[in-house]
Structures are given as C-alpha cells and as structure tokens.
C-alpha cells in the first residue's frame, strides 16, 4: 500500500499546482521509469483511485484524494512533532515522517495531535486546547500526556490536577516539578 500512497501523494502535489499529473512528471518525481508509472496508473485506475487517460494524464478520484490528504496530514503532523517537540533537524524529521506517514494508524495520529494541538496549524480543528505545565496558569486541568516516571507521583493521563504557583496539586498534596519535566507534561483546562 505504501507504493500506492506515494503515487497518490505525488499526483496530489501535481494537482495542487493546478496541473494534470503526466506520466513523465510522476516518473521524474518518483525517480522511476515512465513505463512503470503507466503500469501503476492503470492499476490505480482499476482500483478507483485515479481517472487515467493515456497521453493526457491522471487526476485523483474522491477515493484517491481522501487517501492522499490523509497521508499529507500524517506527514505534516509527524514533521511538526519531530521538529517542534523533539528538536530534530529538517532532514531527519523529513525522513522519519516519510516513513511513518504510511504506517501510522489513526490512533497514533490522534495521540500526536493531542500533543501538538495548540501549537499546530496542520488542520482547521485541533482535537483539544492544551498547554504544557510550564505554560499553565493557576487553575484546574486534566493531564493529557506525562512521562511514565511521573506515575510514581500519581501523575498520568486522565488525572485531574490543579496548578498553583507553577506546582501541581493533587490529592496527595503539592508536587514540585523540575523545569525540564514541566515541558513534557501536557494539560487540558477543565
């Protein structure tokens, strides 16, 4: 399926620039022979992903467009996550994102979206409004993401907490959290 998705993504990119995807351009972008592209376009047409006419080119059907848009979104989510949250360089983030965009399921994407929501412009609708503990103002929150070692202190996803003067307040009392860890705890206001 990954190869099919690469074709659909390439056709999508060409279409976004206002052109019909021609065999030669697809071949150049994917660095493969035009005859292989023609063969794949015929298969994609049979599968209902593209409308293909020899010598005229290919355009995505609704089915093909849905797949291409999902893959594009996955790529952007991963790239933003790797660059903005892990601090990886663009080349490394690009390579990882290109691989993961094809194999990640919707649950993984949704979880990453929760982490980057509020910092992201991937789509029009963020799943949740969130902030890190470092940014949180005094108030009540639900923990969305926290490092596993925080479980020993009772801090885990779904836990209701209060932030007071930069500290976490739980049933067990006030918890002072290291500044480096504050950036790793993601909260949703209640």
């Amino acid at each position: 399926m990954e190869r099919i998705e690469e074709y659909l993504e390439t056709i999508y990119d060409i279409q976004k620039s206002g052109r019909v995807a021609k065999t030669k351009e697809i071949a150049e972008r994917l660095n493969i022979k035009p005859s292989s592209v023609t063969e794949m376009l015929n298969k994609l047409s049979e599968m209902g992903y593209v409308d293909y006419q020899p010598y005229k080119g290919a355009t995505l059907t609704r089915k093909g467009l849905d797949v291409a848009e999902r893959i594009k979104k996955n790529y952007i989510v991963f790239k933003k996550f790797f660059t903005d949250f892990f601090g990886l360089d663009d080349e490394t983030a690009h390579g990882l994102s290109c691989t993961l965009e094809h194999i990640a399921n919707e649950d993984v994407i949704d979880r990453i979206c929760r982490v980057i929501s509020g910092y992201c412009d991937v789509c029009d609708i963020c799943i949740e409004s969130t902030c890190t503990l470092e940014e949180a103002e005094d108030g009540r929150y639900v923990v969305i993401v926290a490092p596993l070692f925080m479980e020993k202190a009772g801090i885990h996803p779904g836990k209701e907490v209060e932030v007071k003067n930069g500290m976490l307040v739980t049933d067990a009392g006030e918890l002072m959290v290291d500044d480096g860890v504050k950036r790793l705890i993601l909260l949703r206001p209640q």
Side-chain angles (χ1 to χ4, degrees), residues 117-144:
S117 66
Y119 306 94
C120 175
D121 56 4
V122 172
C123 57
D124 295 336
I125 303 167
C126 279
I127 293 173
E128 300 177 26
S129 174
T130 61
C131 63
T132 64
L133 176 56
E134 181 178 56
E135 302 163 330
E137 297 179 3
D138 289 357
R140 300 211 43 86
Y141 296 87
V142 173
V143 176
I144 301 298

Side-chain angles (χ1 to χ4, degrees), residues 47-66:
M47 296 169 79
Y49 290 117
V50 300
D51 288 323
Y52 172 61
Q53 295 178 15
Y55 307 106
K56 292 189 178 182
T59 56
L60 295 172
T61 61
R62 180 78 247 166
K63 180 180 175 182
L65 185 62
D66 289 345

